[in-house]
Amino acid sequence: MNIEKIKAYLKLLVPPILLPVYFSKLYNRFFNRDKIIHHFEYESNFYSRHAFINRAISKYKDCKYLEIGVFNNSVFNTIPLKMKNKFGVDPIKGGNFKMTSDDFFHQNKHLKFDVIFIDGLHEYEQCQRDCINSMKCLNDGGIILFHDLLPRSFFEEKELQNKQSSWSGDVWKVAVELNNSKNVELKIINIDHGIGILKLKKDFQYIKMDNLKNESFNEFLEYKKKLPIISSEEAFEFISK
Ligand SMILES: C[S@@+](CC[C@H](N)C(=O)[O-])C[C@H]1O[C@@H](n2cnc3c(N)ncnc32)[C@H](O)[C@@H]1O
């Protein structure tokens, strides 16, 4: 019996209230109310990231797809391409390249992609590197998508992944930088923790901002007012054009 099965059986035996995740949720409800409050909500509709990634892929003949951070293959297995065109990179779980994104980019400088989905480590500097490396290996006319650009609460932005169910981290800082970068077109769909769509123009330039490193959720709420946030309908149009 493998470890996952043993864990599943143990879960059945332990009352939910005693599981660490329930305990921390209950604790937060009483003692960290201000940190779990959502400051906005996503569009309520029937689209998730899978829909937009697949719409992007359908634009290209013989599309080459790269996913950074794959986990349980929830997106990767919906990609209707031949395996030779699917590259899923994750050092822990899922995909077909068991390594970090930094190593993947370092070892595969010759590869080019039409669609890249960045959803690896949800930390600013890692996501920034993933973005810059992806920009270098994107085919002309290609699309880069991002997950988790719109955290709704202090905890979604700050807490460690294992302390609550959704952790977007501070990859929103990459969205702020892209929004100030040169010759790039960024849109963010207001669904599923914030899905970024990036297109590059000739002579694009990623511009870093030194002040972001120590900024946090309160600052994000201010930056959010200027982010190019769009609806699902607008996103389908933006991807297709
Ligand atoms: C949120 S999950 C990805 C979910 C998946 N893309 C989806 O949409 O269902 C994040 C994944 O990133 C992986 N990860 C963490 N650090 C990474 C790194 N340096 N390079 C690539 N993947 C990384 C983790 O192992 C984890 O499986």
Side-chain angles (χ1 to χ4, degrees):
M1 198 182 299
N2 69 25
I3 191 83
E4 294 302 324
K5 272 195 179 157
I6 294 172
K7 275 191 198 162
Y9 284 127
L10 283 176
K11 261 192 187 167
L12 292 176
L13 297 175
V14 182
I17 191 79
L18 295 180
L19 289 173
V21 63
Y22 285 94
F23 181 77
S24 81
K25 274 187 177 167
L26 208 59
Y27 179 90
N28 288 335
R29 191 174 295 171
F30 286 106
F31 298 106
N32 281 318
R33 266 197 76 71
D34 57 323
K35 293 186 173 157
I36 57 174
I37 287 170
H38 289 180
H39 287 252
F40 61 93
E41 286 305 339
Y42 305 126
E43 189 183 304
S44 60
N45 61 24
F46 296 102
Y47 300 114
S48 65
R49 59 196 180 283
H50 309 63
F52 299 96
I53 295 165
N54 276 290
R55 171 62 76 100
I57 282 166
S58 69
K59 272 184 80 171
Y60 306 91
K61 193 168 176 285
D62 203 30
C63 178
K64 276 212 156 51
Y65 172 75
L66 167 65
E67 182 167 330
I68 297 169
V70 191
F71 192 52
N72 59 9
N73 294 325
S74 156
V75 168
F76 199 63
N77 284 356
T78 70
I79 305 300
L81 297 172
K82 290 189 176 150
M83 274 314 289
K84 72 176 175 59
N85 284 16
K86 288 170 62 157
F87 295 73
V89 178
D90 197 307
I92 314 272
K93 197 175 166 189
N96 47 4
F97 288 80
K98 203 174 178 69
M99 56 177 71
T100 65
S101 50
D102 289 342
D103 285 347
F104 178 82
F105 285 119
H106 186 70
Q107 292 170 26
N108 294 285
K109 293 201 172 87
H110 58 290
L111 292 176
K112 291 273 185 185
F113 300 94
D114 300 297
V115 175
I116 301 178
F117 177 41
I118 300 180
D119 190 17
L121 188 62
H122 293 171
E123 286 178 1
Y124 168 43
E125 279 155 335
Q126 181 62 60
C127 184
Q128 187 190 65
R129 277 201 304 283
D130 288 342
C131 180
I132 292 169
N133 283 327
S134 295
M135 289 163 105
K136 287 181 195 156
C137 66
L138 192 70
N139 277 327
D140 285 350
I143 294 181
I144 301 176
L145 297 110
F146 300 81
H147 199 198
D148 296 295
L149 297 187
L150 300 175
R152 290 166 298 186
S153 70
F154 177 92
F155 265 12
E156 284 189 353
E157 203 266 350
K158 193 60 93 201
E159 272 300 77
L160 292 176
Q161 201 165 11
N162 58 4
K163 292 203 181 153
Q164 68 162 44
S165 50
S166 61
W167 177 63
S168 295
D170 60 353
V171 299
W172 61 266
K173 293 173 184 173
V174 173
V176 172
E177 289 182 325
L178 285 170
N179 203 29
N180 288 296
S181 289
K182 283 200 181 136
N183 296 328
V184 305
E185 264 189 292
L186 174 74
K187 303 285 178 204
I188 305 172
I189 323 168
N190 191 30
I191 58 148
D192 193 355
H193 302 275
I195 305 297
I197 315 171
L198 180 70
K199 293 183 180 177
L200 306 178
K201 295 184 199 159
K202 200 167 168 289
D203 299 325
F204 64 83
Q205 196 187 346
Y206 186 106
I207 297 180
K208 295 183 182 175
M209 294 165 64
D210 294 337
N211 55 309
L212 291 176
K213 196 171 163 43
N214 297 318
E215 294 189 339
S216 161
F217 186 65
N218 286 336
E219 286 88 3
F220 164 70
L221 289 176
E222 281 308 305
Y223 287 116
K224 179 176 175 279
K225 293 174 187 163
K226 292 195 175 151
L227 288 177
I229 297 174
I230 59 171
S231 68
S232 296
E233 300 292 329
E234 291 168 315
F236 283 126
E237 237 172 78
F238 179 66
I239 289 174
S240 304
K241 78 172 190 211

